[in-house]
Each structure stands twice: as structure tokens, then as C-alpha cells.
Amino acid sequence: MPIGKKITPDHPSGQGASDHKNPAPEKPQASHFDLLEPKYELSDVIANTQTLNEIQSLISLKKDFEKVFGEMGFSKTHRYSKKFIVNFYGPPGTGKTITAHAIARTFGKKLLLIDYSEIESKNVGETPKNIKKVFDFARKENCIIFFDEADAILSRRVTNMQNATDTSVNQTRSVLLNILNDFEGDLIFATNFISNYDPAFMRRISKHVFFDLPDQSSRRMLLEKYLPLPSRGLLNLEAIAAEITEGLSAADIEKMALLAAFQACAAGRLELTADDMANQAQLIMKSKKENEGAAPITTTRIVSENYVKDQMKNQEGVISA
């Protein structure tokens, strides 16, 4: 649950493309960011062995800093920096957010969860200001910043700028790159689309951890977690983990177990069967495959040349503000 610490970004009113007949509706701006108590521990993270090992390794980046740079002498061969900037990537529902909470609890810190849509502004120069507020607040509170769906802010810069939006995107990326150069705190990014990251951001991230779909052993553990007794005792969990749940994420397995229970109740039963589980697993897999094969839908917003020139004038000097 959110606790009392909040920061408020600037949200001045501004003029959009008034000459455009059907301007895209602006997203409502959030009035605050919430500082959260971590909800999960490392014991709550169920993932493949390799991912778990990588999580322990990145924890060592923080916990064993003095040993590596001091006792082992790496301060003489590597840049001496206490920054903890890591990135979690992989398919949706594989445990990235849970792990961010678990790491925050391990470090004894609160989590500043940032949704990019909350700090993004249509006004050139306001988004970089809001980003600065996030990092200033994190320094003051000594918390961990967590950017979920981070590809929204770490995406590639525009090399052939044609409008004010391109200018604003590049400006925001440049400001964030400069902030990361000097930032000495704790920051976790998470994404389902690491291929969208700008290479400059990739270089500034200390460690990348891949969260793959759960293997058979992990799927068995997830079934035990999400199937209460007596349902758990009536099923062959090993067989379900090996056959029925292959290709499902942790979030999918959680959903499958619950929907299978409702299917059983609809049939007048209080006991789950393997068929209940298999039916829901097939429905989930079907929807995922159809979604993966769907062509993306894009829209284009047209603005006037004068609007672009005005916006580019407005951005002069804003970074130093």
C-alpha cells in the first residue's frame, strides 16, 4: 500500500496543435508519485535456476561493494562507482516486478514506482524537468527507483528529427543519459522489449537479468503456490507441470489455477481435475498466440510547420532551467 511520501511534477497548461482538426486526446497527468513499502521477499521469487543465480549476483553488486573494490583491489582497475543500475527483461508475467520489490526489501529500502505516462508532458521541456524531480527525490529519500515498461523512456533516439515530438524525445533521452552518468543511487528498469533500448542506455546499465518463461521445476513450484489444499492433493502436479503448463508464464499459471476452479464450480464440482487445468491453459495459450501474430496498429499525428518552429523555440534553455 502507498505511504505518505509524494512528489508533484509540474503540469503547466500548454497549447497543442490548434490547427489540427482532430488532435489526439491528452493523457491525464498524475498528481503524485508514491513511495511504496516492498510487498515481496526473495523467497517469493520463483524463476529458473539461471535467473535466480543472476539475481543473487546483482545483489552482490550492492552488498559486496567494499569487498570487491577495497579488499580485492578493483578500485585500481575499474571506475569507483557505487551506482546500482540494473535491468530486468523478458516475457510478460515472469516475475520482474516481484523481484524489484524483493530486492528493495533485501536492501531495506522503499520503492519509488514510476510509470512514464505519469511524468510525460506534451509541453517541450517539461518531461525532462519531471524526470529530474524523480531522481532528486530518490536521492533525498535514499529509495530505489523502479521504472516499469522502461522501453517507453529508454527507446532509441530519433536520428532524423522532423517535428517537435522528435525534438522532445531526444531532449528527454539526453537529459536522462546525463543524469545516469552522475547518479550514485539505486535504479531498476524492467521491460518486455529490450530490443527497443537505445545502445547508449545499455552501456550505462550495470547488469541485465533475463527472466525467461519458467522451466518444468519452476512450473511445479508455481502450481504448489497457486493451488490450495485440498485441490493440490487431488492432482498430479508433476504431470501438469511437464505437459499442461509448458509455455505459460508465472502470471499465466496463477490465472489458470483460478479460472480452472471457477470452471469446476460452474460444472457443480468443488474438486479440480487435470481437464479443468488443461482447458484453461489451452485458452490462455490460444489468446497469447493470436496476440503475438496480430499486426501492430499505429497512428500518425500531423502538425503544421509553424507549430514545430514554435515548439523548438520554446525548448531553448529549458534543460538548464
Side-chain angles (χ1 to χ4, degrees):
M1 296 293 293
I3 64 173
K5 292 291 185 181
K6 297 179 180 179
I7 54 176
T8 303
D10 295 332
H11 301 301
S13 60
Q15 297 299 318
S18 58
D19 55 327
H20 182 235
K21 294 182 179 179
N22 296 298
E26 288 294 331
K27 296 179 181 179
Q29 295 292 331
S31 60
H32 68 271
F33 304 114
D34 294 319
L35 196 58
L36 307 177
E37 291 284 357
K39 296 189 295 184
Y40 302 101
E41 301 179 355
L42 284 176
S43 59
D44 295 315
V45 178
I46 298 177
N48 299 345
T49 300
Q50 181 176 352
T51 301
L52 293 175
N53 289 340
E54 288 297 296
I55 292 171
Q56 290 296 335
S57 177
L58 69 86
I59 289 175
S60 177
L61 289 176
K62 188 81 172 178
K63 181 171 63 73
D64 299 323
F65 179 87
E66 297 297 340
K67 288 183 180 179
V68 171
F69 280 90
E71 297 176 26
M72 298 178 68
F74 275 82
S75 61
K76 300 177 180 179
T77 59
H78 288 68
R79 182 182 177 184
Y80 194 82
S81 173
K82 290 188 177 182
K83 68 178 61 180
F84 178 85
I85 303 177
V86 299
N87 178 55
F88 300 159
Y89 69 101
T94 49
K96 298 183 288 294
T97 299
I98 289 177
T99 303
H101 279 262
I103 287 176
R105 176 164 289 188
T106 299
F107 292 166
K109 295 189 175 186
K110 294 182 177 67
L111 201 65
L112 184 60
L113 178 60
I114 301 298
D115 181 341
Y116 183 58
S117 65
E118 295 180 338
I119 59 176
E120 185 181 30
S121 173
K122 69 178 181 180
N123 302 296
V124 174
E126 290 304 318
T127 301
K129 288 182 181 179
N130 291 338
I131 291 174
K132 287 181 180 180
K133 286 179 178 289
V134 170
F135 283 85
D136 289 343
F137 181 78
R139 290 187 186 96
K140 178 182 177 182
E141 296 297 329
N142 192 28
C143 59
I144 296 180
I145 305 172
F146 179 45
F147 274 99
D148 200 5
E149 298 183 1
D151 47 286
I153 193 171
L154 302 186
S155 61
R156 298 171 187 269
R157 287 163 289 181
V158 181
T159 56
N160 183 22
M161 292 187 293
Q162 298 181 354
N163 54 46
T165 300
D166 295 341
T167 301
S168 181
V169 167
N170 282 3
Q171 181 190 85
T172 300
R173 302 300 182 267
S174 297
V175 168
L176 182 56
L177 285 168
N178 288 331
I179 289 174
L180 294 182
N181 284 337
D182 301 324
F183 184 62
E184 291 288 325
D186 303 325
L187 171 60
I188 300 175
F189 294 115
T191 182
N192 303 332
F193 306 103
I194 193 174
S195 60
N196 292 348
Y197 279 15
D198 191 296
F201 288 115
M202 295 289 288
R203 292 192 298 271
R204 285 164 172 80
I205 293 172
S206 305
K207 188 174 183 61
H208 299 269
V209 178
F210 177 54
F211 285 72
D212 200 357
L213 292 173
D215 57 17
Q216 182 176 332
S217 175
S218 298
R219 296 197 299 270
R220 168 64 187 265
M221 294 176 64
L222 289 163
L223 288 169
E224 292 177 350
K225 178 178 181 179
Y226 292 123
L227 285 171
L229 289 172
S231 297
R232 194 190 315 158
L234 300 174
L235 299 167
N236 184 341
L237 298 188
E238 197 64 45
I240 294 173
E243 302 170 8
I244 293 176
T245 58
E246 184 175 5
L248 296 183
S249 69
D252 292 333
I253 292 173
E254 178 184 10
K255 182 191 300 183
M256 175 200 68
L258 185 61
L259 293 178
F262 279 107
Q263 178 177 316
C265 283
R269 294 180 281 105
L270 294 180
E271 299 83 20
L272 282 176
T273 67
D275 286 341
D276 295 327
M277 305 287 279
N279 183 51
Q280 295 303 322
Q282 289 169 7
L283 291 173
I284 291 172
M285 285 299 299
K286 183 176 184 295
S287 65
K288 291 177 68 171
K289 288 179 179 178
E290 289 180 352
N291 178 255
E292 291 170 358
I297 299 174
T298 60
T299 59
T300 300
R301 182 186 177 199
I302 301 174
V303 298
S304 70
E305 182 178 354
N306 289 335
Y307 171 72
V308 174
K309 290 179 179 179
D310 289 342
Q311 289 295 306
M312 293 182 73
K313 287 180 182 178
N314 291 339
Q315 63 117 3
E316 293 179 0
V318 74
I319 295 180
S320 59

